Amino acid sequence: MPLLDHFHPPMHPSHSWESFHSNWATRLADALSERLPAEFQVEENTRGGGRLEIDVATYEEAATLPSPTNATPAATSTTVATAPAQVWAPPAPPWTLPATFPDDFEVRVFQTTSGLTLVGAIELVSPSIKDRPEERRAFAAKCASYLHRGVSVIVIDIVTNRRANLHNETMRLMEAAPRFELAPDVSLYAVAYRPVRRADRPEIDVWPAPLALGAALPVLPLRLTGDLFVPVDFEATYQEACRRRRLS
């Protein structure tokens, strides 16, 4: 199936791009699970914007429970009183600075031989990440942090209602030479990154793949450990996600 435009009519607003991205992440996770060796596991992680915009995220139960309306004095007289738990509260913070928390539409691959160790991540770009400079910097910092920790990353961007290029943003943040950037007119793309150390020299292998509406999606490599890779078939998983949403 050719790549569709999920952000303009007739697809939008009849079909939610958030729902499709979440569905596609699940299809990617399912496909990877069938290929991963036994010592690896895969999990999709999809959380849209606004999840951190609440001020209080802690709930407390009532200190005392009301007695039942039909309780007798004898029944209530045996109730044991307990002292409420002492809760420590910090002083008011002297500073509170604005922050940005990008959307998460990603698939994570973990090695399980000694606890859960993140070894790979597939990032599905959302419109809000491309919308503002601070969102783009936060996403680029997330990708750069993964790569600096030795985690392989694939980024795929099919967002058509924003023009920013997050691969280029990541390259600039990492102070890479301009020759590692995609052309300025490329706004749809997929890129695979593999951090590696060769002869005590840290390097990052990069597989860029510009995308186009109406064209097929690529197969890109996701490194697990060492020279162990799995192919990520974006076209097959995209077709399956479209089939399940009855999109054509």
Side-chain angles (χ1 to χ4, degrees):
M1 173 174 291
L3 176 60
L4 303 173
D5 187 345
H6 295 264
F7 302 90
H8 293 95
M11 299 291 292
H12 177 80
S14 301
H15 299 278
S16 163
W17 71 263
E18 294 97 336
S19 175
F20 183 82
H21 268 52
S22 178
N23 177 33
W24 193 11
T26 298
R27 305 286 79 79
L28 285 162
D30 290 344
L32 282 173
S33 290
E34 295 177 356
R35 288 183 170 271
L36 290 177
E39 67 270 24
F40 296 92
Q41 74 180 50
V42 60
E43 296 178 356
E44 63 268 48
N45 179 45
T46 59
R47 296 179 295 175
R51 65 191 181 277
L52 293 173
E53 294 180 357
I54 55 176
D55 185 45
V56 177
T58 303
Y59 299 86
E60 66 176 308
E61 296 181 355
T64 58
L65 296 177
S67 300
T69 55
N70 59 349
T72 63
T76 58
S77 63
T78 58
T79 301
V80 178
T82 58
Q86 297 298 314
V87 178
W88 179 83
W95 298 339
T96 299
L97 68 154
T100 297
F101 301 97
D103 289 349
D104 282 332
F105 289 89
E106 67 180 358
V107 177
R108 298 173 180 172
V109 179
F110 298 89
Q111 188 173 23
T112 61
T113 50
S114 57
L116 286 181
T117 303
L118 183 65
V119 296
I122 303 172
E123 302 287 337
L124 281 66
V125 173
S126 71
S128 68
I129 291 174
K130 298 174 72 172
D131 194 29
R132 295 178 297 172
E134 57 267 31
E135 294 275 356
R136 297 194 292 270
R137 285 194 299 269
F139 181 83
K142 175 184 179 181
C143 292
S145 175
Y146 278 163
L147 294 172
H148 286 310
R149 289 159 47 196
V151 177
S152 296
V153 176
I154 298 179
V155 175
I156 184 162
D157 183 353
I158 64 167
V159 176
T160 57
N161 60 352
R162 304 288 190 278
R163 297 292 299 176
N165 188 300
L166 294 162
H167 165 77
N168 292 351
E169 192 87 26
T170 303
M171 292 297 97
R172 293 173 196 139
L173 180 66
M174 298 178 69
E175 299 184 348
R179 65 188 179 90
F180 295 109
E181 297 183 13
L182 295 171
D185 61 342
V186 173
S187 60
L188 305 180
Y189 55 88
V191 185
Y193 309 88
R194 179 230 189 162
V196 62
R197 185 176 292 275
R198 296 186 177 100
D200 292 329
R201 184 177 66 253
E203 297 177 327
I204 297 176
D205 295 334
V206 183
W207 291 265
L211 308 179
L213 294 176
L217 295 169
V219 175
L220 288 177
L222 182 67
R223 193 279 305 273
L224 301 178
T225 59
D227 290 324
L228 177 61
F229 288 81
V230 289
V232 179
D233 191 335
F234 286 105
E235 177 64 18
T237 54
Y238 182 80
Q239 288 184 13
E240 179 64 10
C242 286
R243 184 187 70 80
R244 289 176 180 264
R245 289 294 184 267
R246 300 180 181 179
L247 304 179
S248 59

